[in-house]
Amino acid sequence: MHSKSIAELAQGLRAGEFTSVELTRAYLDRIAEHNPALNCFVSVCEEAALQEAKLADRRIRAGDAGDLIGIPIVHKDIFCTDGVKTSCGSKMLDNFVAPYDAHVVAQLKQAGAVMLGKANMDEFAMGSSNENSFYGPVRNPWKLICVPGGSSGGSAAAVAARLCVAATGTDTGGSIRQPAAFCGITGLKPTYGRVSRYGMIAFASSLDQGGPMARSAADAAALLQAMAGFDTHDSTSAEQPVPDYSASLNDDLKGLRIGVPKEYMGEGLDSAIAESIQLALNEFTRLGAELVEISLPNTHLGIPTYYVVAPAECSSNLSRFDGVRYGYRCSDPQDLEDLYKRSRGEGFGAEVKRRIMIGTYALSAGYYDAYYLKAQQIRHLISDDFRAAFEKVDVIMGPTAPSTAFEIGEKSDDPVTMYLSDIYTIAVNLAGLPGISVPVRPVDGMPVGLQMIGNYFDEARLLNVAHQLQQVTDWHSASPAGFE
Ligand code: GLN
């Protein structure tokens, strides 16, 4: 059952071949068997999941026809879940039980999806390897000594290992696409504002965006359908109609103009990965698309710009964790200052503290213009690069990450090398554009991701293009040995 797509499962459920309770039980059994090796989960909600499955079965019997009814999924532990621990991968929130559901969680619940549990992640979504979690690193199902990528590494590894049908993730600088690439799954970061951030714990508010992680573009389309849309609780959510993402999956690609940025295919990219990307591009030309070389000249400024903007916003967002209202509180504080200092000092991990310090510095009087303001100006230049490119092409393609999954511990002592993992994904967040990563030919047995970047609110096209590739190739259906 765990190899079936959402459409196949929905069909099987409706035809009475199996029930959602049986399906949920099967996934819970897989989690019990495999999670000890992978550490994908912060919480497994066995009883609640079976209860939700029972309700789903009732809805199905009553003739409710939604595709997600009774489908077992997992939420990244950054999304608030009513009555369930929401840790954000941090000691700071290890004792936090959310009193409400995030918009995305509520939407998927309403669509009938069953929540199996909450996925491990880098603390406050800061990281590219899932080594920054208070709950320990997640392991990559393709090679257990390797990282799954981050920060949505628990979600990615759980989908890849077939411990859930699909999952939610969030992407501030690459955290859906990069772990999707490292784990051989499909991950979509929507346009900024497409998916409500209400109840999604904030890291860098102008960059954060939730999205689906799944085994195929068709499955991701089904999830996005429920996640996307205007929400009055999020002032940055877009008041734009949500198209039917599944309806355009089969549109043909004749005449599609694909821009390939020369900055993405040159220096710094592993040559075997470049070959895999080229192989996928060739598939598109066979499908009738045309390749156009383009330039995104400010690509090299993406990482330095991001590492001013994201820490600045995080230093402000994380100031709410003060040991007073909720979250971790130190024992026996002597006075208020001691309470603040020790609660934050003991509750946050090293990477989070590093970011708070960088951000506080960048925002301080005297430095604001030199760093934050400058970064905002460069952010405009980066957006303009994409704007100019989309006058010539319909979609941009290149690698998702410069390497395949690296070993646990390999980069954890060197934050700057770690930051380079996101060199191809970060500019997309700075510009607020949608991007998807899909698996292409592996290198030395490890998954490789092709990144496709679309124009604003063009998720339907990204899913269509990804689906067409997945109709003529089977890179996305490979599963890691031991997790078939
Ligand atoms: N790896 C990047 C960072 O550490 C991006 C993280 C993310 O997208 N949440 O900030």
Side-chain angles (χ1 to χ4, degrees), residues 118-178:
K118 305 289 297 284
N120 201 348
M121 56 180 282
D122 278 308
E123 183 176 9
F124 286 102
M126 298 174 198
S128 308
S129 67
N130 229 294
E131 293 166 288
N132 297 337
S133 170
F134 174 60
Y135 303 95
V138 175
R139 290 173 181 274
N140 189 317
W142 292 89
K143 202 178 195 185
L144 295 177
I145 56 167
C146 288
V147 304
S151 63
S152 312
S155 301
V159 172
R162 278 83 172 129
L163 306 190
C164 58
V165 178
T168 55
T170 64
D171 192 312
T172 303
S175 280
I176 287 178
R177 290 158 289 157
Q178 186 254 21

Short mmCIF file of all heavy atoms in Angstrom, two decimals, residues 118-178:
data_model
loop_
_atom_site.label_atom_id
_atom_site.label_comp_id
_atom_site.label_asym_id
_atom_site.label_seq_id
_atom_site.Cartn_x
_atom_site.Cartn_y
_atom_site.Cartn_z
N LYS A 118 4.52 14.58 13.79
CA LYS A 118 5.23 15.83 13.51
C LYS A 118 6.69 15.50 13.18
O LYS A 118 7.34 14.71 13.88
CB LYS A 118 5.17 16.74 14.74
CG LYS A 118 3.77 17.04 15.27
CD LYS A 118 2.93 17.96 14.39
CE LYS A 118 3.44 19.35 14.19
NZ LYS A 118 3.26 20.26 15.31
N ALA A 119 7.17 16.15 12.12
CA ALA A 119 8.50 15.80 11.61
C ALA A 119 9.62 16.62 12.23
O ALA A 119 9.49 17.83 12.46
CB ALA A 119 8.51 15.96 10.09
N ASN A 120 10.72 15.94 12.46
CA ASN A 120 11.95 16.55 12.95
C ASN A 120 12.44 17.61 11.94
O ASN A 120 12.14 17.54 10.75
CB ASN A 120 13.00 15.45 13.13
CG ASN A 120 14.12 15.85 14.07
OD1 ASN A 120 14.26 17.02 14.44
ND2 ASN A 120 14.92 14.87 14.45
N MET A 121 13.21 18.56 12.44
CA MET A 121 13.64 19.69 11.59
C MET A 121 14.81 20.39 12.27
O MET A 121 15.04 20.21 13.46
CB MET A 121 12.48 20.68 11.46
CG MET A 121 11.94 21.16 12.80
SD MET A 121 10.58 22.34 12.65
CE MET A 121 11.48 23.83 12.23
N ASP A 122 15.51 21.21 11.52
CA ASP A 122 16.54 22.06 12.13
C ASP A 122 15.86 23.06 13.05
O ASP A 122 14.77 23.56 12.74
CB ASP A 122 17.30 22.83 11.04
CG ASP A 122 18.39 21.99 10.40
OD1 ASP A 122 19.21 21.42 11.13
OD2 ASP A 122 18.41 21.91 9.16
N GLU A 123 16.50 23.36 14.15
CA GLU A 123 15.93 24.29 15.13
C GLU A 123 15.49 25.60 14.48
O GLU A 123 16.29 26.27 13.81
CB GLU A 123 16.96 24.56 16.24
CG GLU A 123 16.38 25.45 17.33
CD GLU A 123 17.34 25.67 18.50
OE1 GLU A 123 18.52 25.29 18.42
OE2 GLU A 123 16.87 26.26 19.50
N PHE A 124 14.22 25.94 14.65
CA PHE A 124 13.62 27.15 14.07
C PHE A 124 13.89 27.26 12.56
O PHE A 124 13.98 28.35 12.01
CB PHE A 124 14.06 28.42 14.82
CG PHE A 124 13.39 28.54 16.16
CD1 PHE A 124 14.06 28.21 17.33
CD2 PHE A 124 12.06 28.93 16.25
CE1 PHE A 124 13.42 28.27 18.56
CE2 PHE A 124 11.41 29.00 17.48
CZ PHE A 124 12.10 28.67 18.63
N ALA A 125 14.05 26.11 11.92
CA ALA A 125 14.23 26.03 10.46
C ALA A 125 15.54 26.63 9.98
O ALA A 125 15.67 27.02 8.82
CB ALA A 125 13.04 26.65 9.71
N MET A 126 16.52 26.71 10.88
CA MET A 126 17.82 27.26 10.50
C MET A 126 18.80 26.13 10.26
O MET A 126 19.28 25.51 11.22
CB MET A 126 18.33 28.19 11.60
CG MET A 126 17.41 29.37 11.82
SD MET A 126 17.93 30.37 13.22
CE MET A 126 16.40 31.26 13.52
N GLY A 127 19.07 25.86 9.00
CA GLY A 127 20.03 24.82 8.70
C GLY A 127 19.79 24.23 7.33
O GLY A 127 18.76 24.46 6.70
N SER A 128 20.77 23.45 6.88
CA SER A 128 20.70 22.81 5.56
C SER A 128 20.99 21.33 5.68
O SER A 128 21.26 20.67 4.68
CB SER A 128 21.74 23.42 4.62
OG SER A 128 21.63 24.82 4.60
N SER A 129 20.98 20.80 6.91
CA SER A 129 21.39 19.41 7.09
C SER A 129 20.61 18.66 8.15
O SER A 129 20.80 17.47 8.33
CB SER A 129 22.87 19.37 7.47
OG SER A 129 23.03 19.93 8.77
N ASN A 130 19.74 19.36 8.85
CA ASN A 130 19.01 18.75 9.96
C ASN A 130 19.90 18.29 11.12
O ASN A 130 19.49 17.48 11.95
CB ASN A 130 18.15 17.56 9.48
CG ASN A 130 16.74 17.70 10.02
OD1 ASN A 130 16.52 17.62 11.22
ND2 ASN A 130 15.80 17.96 9.17
N GLU A 131 21.09 18.85 11.19
CA GLU A 131 21.96 18.54 12.33
C GLU A 131 21.74 19.52 13.48
O GLU A 131 22.32 19.36 14.55
CB GLU A 131 23.43 18.59 11.90
CG GLU A 131 23.79 17.47 10.94
CD GLU A 131 25.13 17.73 10.27
OE1 GLU A 131 25.21 18.63 9.41
OE2 GLU A 131 26.10 17.03 10.60
N ASN A 132 20.92 20.56 13.25
CA ASN A 132 20.71 21.57 14.30
C ASN A 132 19.48 21.30 15.16
O ASN A 132 19.06 22.18 15.90
CB ASN A 132 20.55 22.97 13.67
CG ASN A 132 21.79 23.41 12.92
OD1 ASN A 132 22.89 22.93 13.20
ND2 ASN A 132 21.63 24.32 11.98
N SER A 133 18.90 20.12 15.06
CA SER A 133 17.70 19.84 15.85
C SER A 133 18.05 19.49 17.29
O SER A 133 19.01 18.75 17.53
CB SER A 133 16.92 18.68 15.24
OG SER A 133 15.91 18.26 16.12
N PHE A 134 17.24 19.97 18.23
CA PHE A 134 17.38 19.57 19.63
C PHE A 134 17.17 18.06 19.77
O PHE A 134 17.67 17.43 20.69
CB PHE A 134 16.35 20.34 20.47
CG PHE A 134 16.26 19.93 21.91
CD1 PHE A 134 17.37 20.02 22.75
CD2 PHE A 134 15.07 19.45 22.44
CE1 PHE A 134 17.30 19.64 24.09
CE2 PHE A 134 14.99 19.07 23.79
CZ PHE A 134 16.10 19.16 24.61
N TYR A 135 16.42 17.46 18.85
CA TYR A 135 16.09 16.03 18.92
C TYR A 135 17.09 15.15 18.16
O TYR A 135 16.81 13.99 17.89
CB TYR A 135 14.66 15.81 18.40
CG TYR A 135 13.68 16.63 19.20
CD1 TYR A 135 13.26 17.88 18.75
CD2 TYR A 135 13.25 16.20 20.46
CE1 TYR A 135 12.41 18.67 19.51
CE2 TYR A 135 12.41 16.99 21.24
CZ TYR A 135 12.00 18.23 20.75
OH TYR A 135 11.18 19.01 21.53
N GLY A 136 18.22 15.72 17.80
CA GLY A 136 19.25 14.94 17.14
C GLY A 136 19.07 14.95 15.63
O GLY A 136 18.01 15.32 15.12
N PRO A 137 20.12 14.55 14.90
CA PRO A 137 20.07 14.61 13.44
C PRO A 137 19.09 13.59 12.86
O PRO A 137 18.86 12.54 13.45
CB PRO A 137 21.50 14.28 13.01
CG PRO A 137 22.08 13.53 14.15
CD PRO A 137 21.42 14.04 15.39
N VAL A 138 18.56 13.93 11.67
CA VAL A 138 17.78 12.96 10.90
C VAL A 138 18.77 12.30 9.95
O VAL A 138 19.76 12.92 9.54
CB VAL A 138 16.68 13.69 10.09
CG1 VAL A 138 15.93 12.73 9.18
CG2 VAL A 138 15.71 14.40 11.03
N ARG A 139 18.53 11.04 9.61
CA ARG A 139 19.42 10.34 8.69
C ARG A 139 18.76 10.19 7.32
O ARG A 139 17.55 10.07 7.23
CB ARG A 139 19.81 8.98 9.27
CG ARG A 139 20.70 9.16 10.46
CD ARG A 139 21.00 7.90 11.21
NE ARG A 139 21.85 8.25 12.35
CZ ARG A 139 23.17 8.36 12.29
NH1 ARG A 139 23.80 8.10 11.16
NH2 ARG A 139 23.86 8.71 13.35
N ASN A 140 19.60 10.16 6.31
CA ASN A 140 19.10 10.05 4.94
C ASN A 140 18.83 8.58 4.62
O ASN A 140 19.75 7.75 4.72
CB ASN A 140 20.15 10.63 3.98
CG ASN A 140 19.63 10.75 2.57
OD1 ASN A 140 18.97 9.86 2.04
ND2 ASN A 140 19.91 11.89 1.94
N PRO A 141 17.59 8.20 4.24
CA PRO A 141 17.29 6.79 3.98
C PRO A 141 18.12 6.19 2.85
O PRO A 141 18.26 4.96 2.78
CB PRO A 141 15.80 6.78 3.64
CG PRO A 141 15.42 8.20 3.39
CD PRO A 141 16.41 9.07 4.10
N TRP A 142 18.69 7.02 1.97
CA TRP A 142 19.51 6.49 0.87
C TRP A 142 20.89 6.07 1.37
O TRP A 142 21.56 5.25 0.73
CB TRP A 142 19.65 7.51 -0.24
CG TRP A 142 18.35 7.75 -0.95
CD1 TRP A 142 17.39 8.66 -0.61
CD2 TRP A 142 17.83 7.03 -2.07
NE1 TRP A 142 16.33 8.55 -1.47
CE2 TRP A 142 16.57 7.57 -2.38
CE3 TRP A 142 18.34 5.98 -2.86
CZ2 TRP A 142 15.80 7.09 -3.43
CZ3 TRP A 142 17.57 5.52 -3.91
CH2 TRP A 142 16.31 6.07 -4.18
N LYS A 143 21.33 6.65 2.49
CA LYS A 143 22.64 6.33 3.04
C LYS A 143 22.62 6.89 4.45
O LYS A 143 22.61 8.13 4.62
CB LYS A 143 23.73 7.00 2.20
CG LYS A 143 25.08 6.37 2.32
CD LYS A 143 26.02 7.11 1.39
CE LYS A 143 27.29 6.38 1.13
NZ LYS A 143 28.19 7.21 0.31
N LEU A 144 22.60 6.01 5.42
CA LEU A 144 22.31 6.47 6.79
C LEU A 144 23.39 7.36 7.39
O LEU A 144 23.12 8.10 8.34
CB LEU A 144 22.04 5.27 7.70
CG LEU A 144 20.79 4.46 7.33
CD1 LEU A 144 20.64 3.24 8.24
CD2 LEU A 144 19.52 5.31 7.39
N ILE A 145 24.60 7.33 6.83
CA ILE A 145 25.63 8.23 7.39
C ILE A 145 25.51 9.64 6.81
O ILE A 145 26.26 10.54 7.21
CB ILE A 145 27.08 7.71 7.17
CG1 ILE A 145 27.33 7.46 5.67
CG2 ILE A 145 27.35 6.46 8.00
CD1 ILE A 145 28.81 7.26 5.35
N CYS A 146 24.59 9.82 5.88
CA CYS A 146 24.44 11.14 5.25
C CYS A 146 23.27 11.92 5.82
O CYS A 146 22.31 11.36 6.36
CB CYS A 146 24.26 10.99 3.74
SG CYS A 146 25.77 10.47 2.92
N VAL A 147 23.32 13.23 5.65
CA VAL A 147 22.24 14.11 6.10
C VAL A 147 21.10 14.03 5.07
O VAL A 147 21.33 13.73 3.90
CB VAL A 147 22.71 15.57 6.25
CG1 VAL A 147 23.90 15.67 7.18
CG2 VAL A 147 23.03 16.20 4.89
N PRO A 148 19.87 14.33 5.51
CA PRO A 148 18.74 14.36 4.57
C PRO A 148 18.59 15.74 3.95
O PRO A 148 17.67 15.96 3.15
CB PRO A 148 17.55 14.06 5.47
CG PRO A 148 17.93 14.69 6.79
CD PRO A 148 19.44 14.56 6.91
N GLY A 149 19.45 16.70 4.32
CA GLY A 149 19.24 18.10 3.95
C GLY A 149 18.38 18.75 5.01
O GLY A 149 17.87 18.10 5.92
N GLY A 150 18.24 20.08 4.87
CA GLY A 150 17.45 20.77 5.88
C GLY A 150 16.84 22.02 5.34
O GLY A 150 17.12 22.39 4.20
N SER A 151 16.01 22.68 6.09
CA SER A 151 15.63 22.29 7.43
C SER A 151 14.48 21.30 7.51
O SER A 151 14.25 20.71 8.54
CB SER A 151 15.25 23.55 8.21
OG SER A 151 14.11 24.16 7.63
N SER A 152 13.77 21.07 6.38
CA SER A 152 12.63 20.12 6.43
C SER A 152 13.12 18.69 6.20
O SER A 152 12.52 17.93 5.44
CB SER A 152 11.58 20.49 5.36
OG SER A 152 11.28 21.87 5.39
N GLY A 153 14.20 18.30 6.86
CA GLY A 153 14.81 16.98 6.63
C GLY A 153 13.98 15.83 7.14
O GLY A 153 13.97 14.74 6.55
N GLY A 154 13.26 16.04 8.24
CA GLY A 154 12.40 14.97 8.78
C GLY A 154 11.28 14.66 7.80
O GLY A 154 10.99 13.49 7.51
N SER A 155 10.68 15.72 7.25
CA SER A 155 9.59 15.54 6.28
C SER A 155 10.12 14.81 5.04
O SER A 155 9.50 13.86 4.54
CB SER A 155 9.03 16.90 5.83
OG SER A 155 8.52 17.63 6.92
N ALA A 156 11.28 15.25 4.54
CA ALA A 156 11.83 14.67 3.31
C ALA A 156 12.19 13.20 3.50
O ALA A 156 11.87 12.35 2.67
CB ALA A 156 13.06 15.46 2.87
N ALA A 157 12.86 12.89 4.62
CA ALA A 157 13.28 11.50 4.87
C ALA A 157 12.05 10.61 5.07
O ALA A 157 12.02 9.47 4.61
CB ALA A 157 14.21 11.44 6.08
N ALA A 158 11.02 11.14 5.74
CA ALA A 158 9.81 10.34 5.99
C ALA A 158 9.09 10.02 4.67
O ALA A 158 8.62 8.90 4.47
CB ALA A 158 8.87 11.09 6.94
N VAL A 159 9.04 10.98 3.76
CA VAL A 159 8.39 10.73 2.46
C VAL A 159 9.23 9.72 1.67
O VAL A 159 8.71 8.75 1.11
CB VAL A 159 8.20 12.04 1.66
CG1 VAL A 159 7.72 11.75 0.24
CG2 VAL A 159 7.21 12.97 2.37
N ALA A 160 10.56 9.95 1.64
CA ALA A 160 11.44 9.07 0.85
C ALA A 160 11.41 7.64 1.37
O ALA A 160 11.45 6.69 0.58
CB ALA A 160 12.87 9.62 0.88
N ALA A 161 11.34 7.47 2.69
CA ALA A 161 11.36 6.13 3.28
C ALA A 161 9.96 5.51 3.33
O ALA A 161 9.78 4.43 3.89
CB ALA A 161 11.97 6.19 4.68
N ARG A 162 8.99 6.19 2.74
CA ARG A 162 7.60 5.70 2.73
C ARG A 162 7.04 5.52 4.14
O ARG A 162 6.39 4.53 4.43
CB ARG A 162 7.48 4.36 1.97
CG ARG A 162 7.39 4.50 0.45
CD ARG A 162 8.73 4.64 -0.20
NE ARG A 162 8.64 4.60 -1.66
CZ ARG A 162 9.18 5.50 -2.46
NH1 ARG A 162 9.85 6.53 -1.98
NH2 ARG A 162 9.07 5.37 -3.76
N LEU A 163 7.33 6.50 5.01
CA LEU A 163 6.75 6.47 6.35
C LEU A 163 5.50 7.34 6.40
O LEU A 163 4.88 7.49 7.46
CB LEU A 163 7.76 6.94 7.41
CG LEU A 163 9.11 6.20 7.43
CD1 LEU A 163 9.91 6.59 8.67
CD2 LEU A 163 8.92 4.69 7.39
N CYS A 164 5.16 7.98 5.28
CA CYS A 164 3.92 8.74 5.14
C CYS A 164 3.72 8.91 3.64
O CYS A 164 4.65 8.67 2.86
CB CYS A 164 4.02 10.11 5.81
SG CYS A 164 5.36 11.15 5.21
N VAL A 165 2.52 9.31 3.24
CA VAL A 165 2.29 9.48 1.80
C VAL A 165 2.93 10.78 1.33
O VAL A 165 3.55 10.84 0.27
CB VAL A 165 0.77 9.49 1.50
CG1 VAL A 165 0.52 9.71 0.01
CG2 VAL A 165 0.13 8.19 1.95
N ALA A 166 2.76 11.82 2.13
CA ALA A 166 3.30 13.14 1.76
C ALA A 166 3.47 13.93 3.05
O ALA A 166 3.06 13.48 4.13
CB ALA A 166 2.36 13.85 0.80
N ALA A 167 4.09 15.11 2.92
CA ALA A 167 4.36 15.90 4.14
C ALA A 167 4.33 17.38 3.81
O ALA A 167 4.42 17.78 2.64
CB ALA A 167 5.72 15.51 4.71
N THR A 168 4.24 18.17 4.86
CA THR A 168 4.40 19.61 4.68
C THR A 168 5.83 19.98 5.05
O THR A 168 6.47 19.30 5.86
CB THR A 168 3.44 20.40 5.59
OG1 THR A 168 3.64 19.98 6.95
CG2 THR A 168 2.00 20.17 5.19
N GLY A 169 6.31 21.06 4.46
CA GLY A 169 7.62 21.59 4.81
C GLY A 169 7.54 23.10 4.74
O GLY A 169 6.49 23.66 4.39
N THR A 170 8.63 23.76 5.09
CA THR A 170 8.70 25.21 4.89
C THR A 170 10.05 25.54 4.29
O THR A 170 11.02 24.81 4.47
CB THR A 170 8.53 26.01 6.20
OG1 THR A 170 9.63 25.72 7.08
CG2 THR A 170 7.22 25.69 6.89
N ASP A 171 10.07 26.65 3.56
CA ASP A 171 11.25 27.00 2.78
C ASP A 171 11.50 28.50 2.92
O ASP A 171 10.70 29.31 2.47
CB ASP A 171 10.95 26.61 1.32
CG ASP A 171 12.16 26.64 0.40
OD1 ASP A 171 12.89 27.65 0.45
OD2 ASP A 171 12.35 25.70 -0.38
N THR A 172 12.62 28.84 3.57
CA THR A 172 13.00 30.24 3.78
C THR A 172 14.14 30.60 2.85
O THR A 172 14.28 31.74 2.42
CB THR A 172 13.39 30.43 5.27
OG1 THR A 172 12.29 30.04 6.08
CG2 THR A 172 13.76 31.87 5.59
N GLY A 173 14.99 29.56 2.59
CA GLY A 173 16.13 29.78 1.70
C GLY A 173 16.43 28.52 0.88
O GLY A 173 17.44 28.45 0.21
N GLY A 174 15.55 27.54 1.01
CA GLY A 174 15.77 26.29 0.27
C GLY A 174 15.29 25.05 1.01
O GLY A 174 15.45 23.93 0.52
N SER A 175 14.70 25.24 2.17
CA SER A 175 14.43 24.12 3.07
C SER A 175 13.37 23.12 2.64
O SER A 175 13.20 22.09 3.30
CB SER A 175 14.06 24.64 4.45
OG SER A 175 15.23 24.97 5.14
N ILE A 176 12.64 23.39 1.55
CA ILE A 176 11.80 22.33 0.98
C ILE A 176 12.58 21.68 -0.16
O ILE A 176 12.69 20.46 -0.26
CB ILE A 176 10.46 22.89 0.45
CG1 ILE A 176 9.55 23.26 1.63
CG2 ILE A 176 9.78 21.89 -0.48
CD1 ILE A 176 8.22 23.87 1.22
N ARG A 177 13.16 22.53 -1.02
CA ARG A 177 13.78 22.03 -2.26
C ARG A 177 15.08 21.26 -2.01
O ARG A 177 15.31 20.21 -2.61
CB ARG A 177 14.02 23.21 -3.22
CG ARG A 177 12.73 23.79 -3.79
CD ARG A 177 12.93 25.21 -4.28
NE ARG A 177 13.12 26.13 -3.16
CZ ARG A 177 13.72 27.31 -3.25
NH1 ARG A 177 14.22 27.71 -4.40
NH2 ARG A 177 13.84 28.09 -2.19
N GLN A 178 15.94 21.77 -1.13
CA GLN A 178 17.24 21.10 -0.91
C GLN A 178 17.08 19.72 -0.26
O GLN A 178 17.63 18.75 -0.76
CB GLN A 178 18.17 22.06 -0.15
CG GLN A 178 19.58 21.57 0.03
CD GLN A 178 19.83 21.11 1.47
OE1 GLN A 178 18.89 20.81 2.19
NE2 GLN A 178 21.09 21.05 1.87
#
